[in-house]
Amino acid sequence: MPVGSKKGSVIFSGFRALGLYSNHLSHVVRYHKKHREFYIVTAVGNCFHTYNVKKLGIVAVSNALPEDISYLAADRMLVYVANGKKVSAFARNKEVVHMYTGHGADVHLLLPFGDHIISVDRDNAVIVWDVESEEEYLQITFDKVSFEVSAVMHPSTYLNKILFGSSQGGLQLWNVKSNKLLYTFPGWASGVTVLQQTPAVDAVGVGLSSGQIIIHNIKFDESLMKFQQDWGPVTSLSFRTDGHPVMAAGSPVGHIGLWDLEEKKLVCQMRDAHNTAIAGLTFLHGEPLLITNGADNGIRVWIFDTAGGGGRLLRSRLGHSAPPTKIQHHGLNGHHILSAGQDGTLQSFSTVHERFNRSLGHGSINKKKSKKKSLRYDELKLPAITTFASESARQSDWDSIVACHRGYLMTTTWNYQKGSMGAHKLEPERFNKNRALNVHATAVDITSCGNFVVVGLSSGHIDVYNMQSGMHRGQYGEDKAHRGAVRGVSVDGLNQLTVSAGADKLVKIWKFKSRKLVHSIDLGTSPATTHLHRDSGMLAIALDDFTLNVLDMETKRIVRKFSGHRGQVNDMAFSPDGRWLITAAMDCTIRTWDLPSGCLVDCFLVDSAAVSLTMSPTGDFLASSHVDNLGIYLWSNNTLCSMVSLRPLPADYEPTVIMLPGTCPSQDEEGEGDAELNTEMIEYESPEQLDEKLVTLSLLPDSRWKNLLHLDIIKKRNKPKEPPKVPKAAPFFMPTIPGLIPQFAPSEGSNQEEQSKIVNFGVLAQKSHFYQLLESAMLSNKYDGPVGMLKEMGPSGIDAELRGLAPDMGGDVSVLQGFLKMVASMLDSKRDFDLAQAYLALFLKLHLRLISQEPGLMEEASRVSEKLEETWTSMQTLFNQSLCLLSYTKSALL
């Protein structure tokens, strides 16, 4: 298995998640004294987010926990989180500083209580922990049949007292210091869901599962007032503290009721504050602001500054309340991702900052009527978007997005700049608006100029519309374009060709303007979806048998076929340069295919299958949406910032699971290990010779062999004009002559004896090391030793060694013959071809007269000449073929 399998993915690493704000757990509001600012803490899966109330900007994201969070609580210093049977305390909204373990079941309630934290688990065990020491201070066990703890609170000014509410309806007041039950309240024959301290001492707000809200005085055990909510159990309670005696109550259907505590009546209803149950609501202390969150993945801040007592929406952070079905980058900078969800909304998420997020709203059949009647009326709602296309070229002039809806023949236009539904609803007239035919739009594309829309239908028709006017401009084919449903339709970058794929197993290429059929290709299997890379003209086709085909629009041929997925291919994306095809399938893998080599170069598993993929136009991020996940997950492209070696993966490659990235940029703790991994991967030792038939050059610099023939000219040019002088040895301290003016004393070493210039010829008579190596190589017929020594020498050394082979310089004719054999062996092995030429040229220049006089040398030289001519002829043929092909590609009209 390759080294990269340890890492999971070589190309992509998790960066962050977009569009996740809240889940079904109640938020917590904290006040920072130093900053003088309120903060909201919300749970998202296995981590929590901290937002400032002022701008709802994200301040911090906690480190991820191994399990999903089941409850949130906070005090002045720490945030407490229940996950599974453990309770964790986070400091600085980020890192775990304390862990409390000891529960036998999952923890579902928490209450910070001074230096202690109280936790309640599903087995009805209540444990009081010391925050700093993490030790168990007290444990209280209730009988689950008679008193199952469902709510817990600390009454204000009641020292060491905790009030417990039960699902049976009763309440108990305990002193946790002395571990004594002080008082039992009989309750109201309905389970307690919420306990909340009112602004008045001794008065507690009690929310019941019957929808009743009681303001109860726990000092005298008497009910001060009762309210009835008709929307089901009370999910949360909060009281205004800015001078208005108002109580807010949340419901499971998303409505909020506002009650006046002085007049004891309902003041206002805030209907549809959230699409799902109100998870939590909190009035900010001393301010007319109400913060709400719900399982619809939204946080909303309401301000009460208008007459009538109702609140208006001040600011919000909203994501999809149901998983996204299709995502796509919008624009050329890669900063915006359009996302269509199962909740029927179309939203734009910014990869830069959340303040640039925008919701384009929910599709409606009649925009004006839906504004009057509200979109809660189902007959005006459009179903969820199945697929859409966007183009930013003319988005400032008219609509720039076209969407297909589930089961609908009509396609809708959307305006990105206005952030709403567009002006047109595109529907062909051939069906006379007959809904009984069960025809719906299946594929859509917008031309690169932004002027035309091409829509494919389940009936096999393909229609063209004008984007500006919404008018029908024609159709492809005389009757139908395909005999089955259209599975994909795309227009090339120059509006020359339109390509469509249908359930009839055919891919058809049409002239865009004349709408005439140009070419048809039989795939053999029905296509599931298609994706066109306009710049390269490559069309990726996913088939129903889980294989992939790549069609070249230029040659109109299938140029690549990929197999390996074991489930339906959900979506595909090309890299900006068209080199990679990234695919996601129901087998939970995300695979990257390299088109030039035709190989799988990257593959990794995710926990839930990816439904949609989109690659940033700048190539820096891959975005994915997944089954049953509300967020959009960004994966950074490692090849942009580091050297990544991509190797073909074997057919039996087993990918490893990668966790989906968190909601903040991940700080890789194992960065050093990854760096080592990359260096291991990119290490490649190239062999000296790739193949025995290939002519291989040496890797020596040109200066080591190119100037061998011109060495005498270089020596003549560099000859010194006068002999070099020996530098005088200077003392450490320069001596001076005594006197008023300081002067240096002249040196005394001027009368040294001159060096002897007599040459000792006895030294020259000895055989050099190269000479000895050449002699031994002649006996063994292996010339690697002398060749290796020559490669280490400089031009002057090589010249001296070759001159020393002559008989008049102490050499021998047999050694000269051995040198020619060495050159012949270099030509036979086809290695160091350039060195063999240079050494032979210098050898012939120095010893040509001697070779002509000796028959043995002459015979060996003729053999070398034949080998040289044979090698050079084959090389010349290859050169000529390559030059011919290059000149043809330059001049031919493709």
Side-chain angles (χ1 to χ4, degrees), residues 50-63:
T50 306
Y51 300 89
N52 54 22
V53 176
K54 192 184 292 181
K55 292 183 179 178
L56 276 187
I58 192 161
V59 174
V61 176
S62 73
N63 294 334

PDB file of all heavy atoms in Angstrom, residues 50-63:
ATOM      1  N   THR A  50     -19.102  30.244  19.655  1.00  0.00           N
ATOM      2  CA  THR A  50     -19.346  31.441  20.458  1.00  0.00           C
ATOM      3  C   THR A  50     -19.477  32.634  19.517  1.00  0.00           C
ATOM      4  O   THR A  50     -18.583  32.883  18.692  1.00  0.00           O
ATOM      5  CB  THR A  50     -18.198  31.672  21.452  1.00  0.00           C
ATOM      6  OG1 THR A  50     -18.001  30.488  22.226  1.00  0.00           O
ATOM      7  CG2 THR A  50     -18.533  32.834  22.384  1.00  0.00           C
ATOM      8  N   TYR A  51     -20.610  33.358  19.621  1.00  0.00           N
ATOM      9  CA  TYR A  51     -20.879  34.540  18.790  1.00  0.00           C
ATOM     10  C   TYR A  51     -21.037  35.754  19.693  1.00  0.00           C
ATOM     11  O   TYR A  51     -21.524  35.643  20.827  1.00  0.00           O
ATOM     12  CB  TYR A  51     -22.184  34.366  17.991  1.00  0.00           C
ATOM     13  CG  TYR A  51     -22.201  33.199  17.046  1.00  0.00           C
ATOM     14  CD1 TYR A  51     -22.620  31.944  17.460  1.00  0.00           C
ATOM     15  CD2 TYR A  51     -21.807  33.347  15.717  1.00  0.00           C
ATOM     16  CE1 TYR A  51     -22.644  30.863  16.585  1.00  0.00           C
ATOM     17  CE2 TYR A  51     -21.824  32.277  14.833  1.00  0.00           C
ATOM     18  CZ  TYR A  51     -22.240  31.038  15.279  1.00  0.00           C
ATOM     19  OH  TYR A  51     -22.251  29.979  14.413  1.00  0.00           O
ATOM     20  N   ASN A  52     -20.638  36.923  19.182  1.00  0.00           N
ATOM     21  CA  ASN A  52     -20.967  38.145  19.912  1.00  0.00           C
ATOM     22  C   ASN A  52     -22.368  38.596  19.502  1.00  0.00           C
ATOM     23  O   ASN A  52     -22.778  38.444  18.358  1.00  0.00           O
ATOM     24  CB  ASN A  52     -19.929  39.249  19.678  1.00  0.00           C
ATOM     25  CG  ASN A  52     -19.692  39.535  18.208  1.00  0.00           C
ATOM     26  OD1 ASN A  52     -20.542  39.231  17.375  1.00  0.00           O
ATOM     27  ND2 ASN A  52     -18.560  40.111  17.870  1.00  0.00           N
ATOM     28  N   VAL A  53     -23.104  39.166  20.454  1.00  0.00           N
ATOM     29  CA  VAL A  53     -24.479  39.575  20.176  1.00  0.00           C
ATOM     30  C   VAL A  53     -24.500  40.818  19.305  1.00  0.00           C
ATOM     31  O   VAL A  53     -25.415  41.026  18.508  1.00  0.00           O
ATOM     32  CB  VAL A  53     -25.240  39.811  21.503  1.00  0.00           C
ATOM     33  CG1 VAL A  53     -26.655  40.324  21.253  1.00  0.00           C
ATOM     34  CG2 VAL A  53     -25.284  38.530  22.312  1.00  0.00           C
ATOM     35  N   LYS A  54     -23.468  41.634  19.413  1.00  0.00           N
ATOM     36  CA  LYS A  54     -23.439  42.930  18.711  1.00  0.00           C
ATOM     37  C   LYS A  54     -23.573  42.755  17.199  1.00  0.00           C
ATOM     38  O   LYS A  54     -24.338  43.441  16.538  1.00  0.00           O
ATOM     39  CB  LYS A  54     -22.124  43.651  19.040  1.00  0.00           C
ATOM     40  CG  LYS A  54     -22.096  45.103  18.618  1.00  0.00           C
ATOM     41  CD  LYS A  54     -20.726  45.730  18.892  1.00  0.00           C
ATOM     42  CE  LYS A  54     -20.488  45.832  20.383  1.00  0.00           C
ATOM     43  NZ  LYS A  54     -19.164  46.455  20.661  1.00  0.00           N
ATOM     44  N   LYS A  55     -22.811  41.811  16.637  1.00  0.00           N
ATOM     45  CA  LYS A  55     -22.857  41.606  15.180  1.00  0.00           C
ATOM     46  C   LYS A  55     -23.137  40.158  14.785  1.00  0.00           C
ATOM     47  O   LYS A  55     -23.150  39.841  13.600  1.00  0.00           O
ATOM     48  CB  LYS A  55     -21.528  42.035  14.547  1.00  0.00           C
ATOM     49  CG  LYS A  55     -21.266  43.525  14.617  1.00  0.00           C
ATOM     50  CD  LYS A  55     -19.973  43.886  13.903  1.00  0.00           C
ATOM     51  CE  LYS A  55     -19.714  45.376  13.935  1.00  0.00           C
ATOM     52  NZ  LYS A  55     -18.430  45.723  13.268  1.00  0.00           N
ATOM     53  N   LEU A  56     -23.325  39.301  15.760  1.00  0.00           N
ATOM     54  CA  LEU A  56     -23.467  37.862  15.527  1.00  0.00           C
ATOM     55  C   LEU A  56     -22.281  37.315  14.728  1.00  0.00           C
ATOM     56  O   LEU A  56     -22.437  36.447  13.871  1.00  0.00           O
ATOM     57  CB  LEU A  56     -24.776  37.533  14.809  1.00  0.00           C
ATOM     58  CG  LEU A  56     -26.018  37.404  15.694  1.00  0.00           C
ATOM     59  CD1 LEU A  56     -27.197  36.924  14.890  1.00  0.00           C
ATOM     60  CD2 LEU A  56     -25.797  36.502  16.889  1.00  0.00           C
ATOM     61  N   GLY A  57     -21.111  37.866  15.009  1.00  0.00           N
ATOM     62  CA  GLY A  57     -19.891  37.363  14.378  1.00  0.00           C
ATOM     63  C   GLY A  57     -19.313  36.233  15.213  1.00  0.00           C
ATOM     64  O   GLY A  57     -19.344  36.283  16.444  1.00  0.00           O
ATOM     65  N   ILE A  58     -18.799  35.230  14.563  1.00  0.00           N
ATOM     66  CA  ILE A  58     -18.254  34.082  15.296  1.00  0.00           C
ATOM     67  C   ILE A  58     -16.931  34.484  15.947  1.00  0.00           C
ATOM     68  O   ILE A  58     -16.060  35.079  15.323  1.00  0.00           O
ATOM     69  CB  ILE A  58     -18.097  32.860  14.370  1.00  0.00           C
ATOM     70  CG1 ILE A  58     -17.824  31.607  15.193  1.00  0.00           C
ATOM     71  CG2 ILE A  58     -17.037  33.076  13.301  1.00  0.00           C
ATOM     72  CD1 ILE A  58     -18.093  30.316  14.459  1.00  0.00           C
ATOM     73  N   VAL A  59     -16.838  34.200  17.233  1.00  0.00           N
ATOM     74  CA  VAL A  59     -15.670  34.602  18.018  1.00  0.00           C
ATOM     75  C   VAL A  59     -14.735  33.418  18.232  1.00  0.00           C
ATOM     76  O   VAL A  59     -13.519  33.542  18.143  1.00  0.00           O
ATOM     77  CB  VAL A  59     -16.117  35.188  19.376  1.00  0.00           C
ATOM     78  CG1 VAL A  59     -14.928  35.478  20.257  1.00  0.00           C
ATOM     79  CG2 VAL A  59     -16.949  36.438  19.169  1.00  0.00           C
ATOM     80  N   ALA A  60     -15.322  32.270  18.526  1.00  0.00           N
ATOM     81  CA  ALA A  60     -14.490  31.093  18.806  1.00  0.00           C
ATOM     82  C   ALA A  60     -15.266  29.836  18.475  1.00  0.00           C
ATOM     83  O   ALA A  60     -16.491  29.814  18.492  1.00  0.00           O
ATOM     84  CB  ALA A  60     -14.063  31.079  20.278  1.00  0.00           C
ATOM     85  N   VAL A  61     -14.515  28.787  18.178  1.00  0.00           N
ATOM     86  CA  VAL A  61     -15.071  27.452  17.964  1.00  0.00           C
ATOM     87  C   VAL A  61     -14.279  26.493  18.834  1.00  0.00           C
ATOM     88  O   VAL A  61     -13.049  26.513  18.828  1.00  0.00           O
ATOM     89  CB  VAL A  61     -14.974  27.033  16.483  1.00  0.00           C
ATOM     90  CG1 VAL A  61     -15.474  25.614  16.297  1.00  0.00           C
ATOM     91  CG2 VAL A  61     -15.759  27.970  15.605  1.00  0.00           C
ATOM     92  N   SER A  62     -14.994  25.695  19.592  1.00  0.00           N
ATOM     93  CA  SER A  62     -14.314  24.790  20.522  1.00  0.00           C
ATOM     94  C   SER A  62     -13.658  23.637  19.781  1.00  0.00           C
ATOM     95  O   SER A  62     -13.991  23.346  18.632  1.00  0.00           O
ATOM     96  CB  SER A  62     -15.325  24.240  21.526  1.00  0.00           C
ATOM     97  OG  SER A  62     -16.155  23.291  20.895  1.00  0.00           O
ATOM     98  N   ASN A  63     -12.745  22.988  20.474  1.00  0.00           N
ATOM     99  CA  ASN A  63     -12.187  21.740  19.945  1.00  0.00           C
ATOM    100  C   ASN A  63     -13.281  20.673  19.938  1.00  0.00           C
ATOM    101  O   ASN A  63     -14.184  20.689  20.768  1.00  0.00           O
ATOM    102  CB  ASN A  63     -11.011  21.277  20.804  1.00  0.00           C
ATOM    103  CG  ASN A  63      -9.845  22.244  20.722  1.00  0.00           C
ATOM    104  OD1 ASN A  63      -9.691  22.952  19.738  1.00  0.00           O
ATOM    105  ND2 ASN A  63      -9.036  22.291  21.766  1.00  0.00           N
TER     106      ASN A  63
END
